[in-house]
Amino acid sequence: MDPFKSGNLEPRRTVCIFACGVLWLVAVTVASGETPWRQVPLQDVQIKGEMGRRIDVTIENNILQIDISRDFLAPFQSRNQKGGYVGLGKLLDSIVRLAVHTGDPRLRELKDQIIREILATQEEDGYIGIMEPSSRMWSLWDIHEMSYLVYALATDHHFFGTEDSLQAARRLADYIISNWEAHPDNQPGGGSITVYMAVTGLENAFLLLSEEANDSRYKDFVVNFRKLPEWQARIVVGRHGQIEGHIYAYLCRSIAQLRLDDQQFDPRLWQASRQALDFLLHREGMVITGECGDHECWHDSQSGTINLGETCATAYLIRWLDELLRREKKSLYGDIMERVIYNGLFAAQSPDGRRIRYYPPFDGPRSYFSSDTYCCPNNYRRIVAELAGMVGYQTEQGVAINLYTAGQLKLRLPGGQVATITQRTDYPHDGVITLTVSLAQPEAFELRLRIPRYCEEASVKLPDQSEAVVVKGGDWAIFSRTWKDGDEVVLTIPMKLRLVRGRRAQSGRVAVMYGPLVFCLSRQAHADLKDVDLRLITLNPETLEGPFRDEAVHPGGLACRVKAWAPGAWYPHAPTNYTLKLTEFADPTGEATYFHVPNPYDPAFVEDELIVPTKDGSP
Ligand SMILES: [Zn+2]
């Protein structure tokens, strides 16, 4: 079901596993020309745990509660605006995918109803949008809005085979092509921002439409007219000029380049992704919560205040990491994915699912976005709708488990039969994951498990073996054997609280982590912190204890406890003033994440493992 298949470039590399104290070298060849790993189809994945709960509340308390007729459809029926943005295509795309993933008839009916209403507004010339005639195409954000409608309608055709959706998408795309080719020098937004930011989403929409319609015209427009392979991408820090540093636009286009590279080998299509990886991992572009950017744009100060991590950038970061992982097959991308999902992403939504944030800062109070429309709420819904596809992948030789979460995957093995892999776990609140294989006939295949970088080594208990195998952190553990029905694998990832050193603006300070979870401090949960500047509190690291169960943020959640000195206290000899409870970063009342400590060079503190290069210097 994955529309983006075939092709890959990757040097040969070797993956090591340690088994029973003996080093086994397993040569894994990932050579050019091999296909990317494929997502397990959305309908074949069940997710429970906190990730599943987030999907559920996004459906029940958000998508099924918002006023789609008034807020989303009415502007398309009136078509009288001079500018603006709704995000109807993004909303539709999320509902189509969630309808596939859950099989929920309410979502299927909802997406069909929205499509009927959208198609009823399509004009003779193919236009679907919110603008008055004189503002079409060149006012912000008309092409952006149309592009996501093309994408969503093509997605509907992809999953449901709906011919009406495909024809409407083609007519709308033809409208864009004919108008742009007639005025090739026109700039959407009149040059106030870069063209590529103004038309974000166009390339992916047209590439998908080409596949769905089996018509290369849309791809040719992206390649030859929009010149996707020739994009001179560069990392611009800050928001200024034509806003060249816009992360969402950058990563969205980078994804389109990777997808195009599957069809036409061109090393230029990897340049933007390589630069972004270097900036995020080696030049302070990513913060501890997995978020990136300030005020929507690349940033490297590590300050984490008001405008940290636009939710659109967070959503596209996760999607881009999935695309990179499936092509380059590096477990690091999965490590970053789980960091950003459990922290930056889930902090962008109220725990009950109803409200969504534009920015979830780690320093200072957070606020919700005022509307259900616009970019961030809809890109949030879209990425939540896609998470199911990122749990596990179908590889050349079997299956790779990327995200640990209670649930089930049904996938086709290389030999052709369908296997079910069930995960029983409370991860990330606990490091024990039990995987059970169900299949009709015994079959030899390769099972890969992502062993996160935050642990030095983990253990895996295989069926029929008396002793657990030790595997190293920061790589895939690979098990090739003949599996039979009922085989059980128990992965134990050692997890303990760790204090992670801050960098740049957080120099001399530490954050508390447990596995991929970052903890934060809520002022509201502590009456004695009412008027205290939280940045001036000093933690006593020796008193850190936990984690323990705490349901303040979500069912089954975790918290930890630590004592701290008030601003100006004569530490370390004065008695501490506070006992602080730190909650998961998704705590909507969280206000502080990094804390001052008496000895910033305490050898017990660790560096952020996602940022530290491996021994061979690669990210
Ligand atoms: Zn946004």
Side-chain angles (χ1 to χ4, degrees), residues 18 34 180 266 298 340 347 350 359 363 387 453 498 594:
F18 293 88
E34 287 187 21
W180 210 337
D266 186 340
W298 298 115
V340 63
S350 59
Y359 299 113
D363 182 2
L387 289 179
R453 273 194 180 199
R498 62 191 191 278
Y594 278 103

Side-chain angles (χ1 to χ4, degrees), residues 90 246 248 296 310-313 357-358 374-377 379:
K90 292 182 179 123
H246 198 268
Y248 163 25
E296 302 179 348
E310 187 202 5
T311 298
C312 291
R357 301 181 195 284
Y358 209 99
Y374 220 60
C375 57
C376 287
N379 271 327

Side-chain angles (χ1 to χ4, degrees), residues 212-227:
E212 291 302 313
N214 195 21
D215 182 345
S216 65
R217 223 154 44 83
Y218 306 106
K219 185 180 97 175
D220 294 344
F221 180 75
V222 165
V223 173
N224 302 323
F225 187 86
R226 292 295 311 133
K227 303 189 187 313

Side-chain angles (χ1 to χ4, degrees), residues 25 32 83 98 161 185 387 610:
L25 278 178
S32 171
L98 287 167
D185 297 327
L387 289 179
L610 298 182

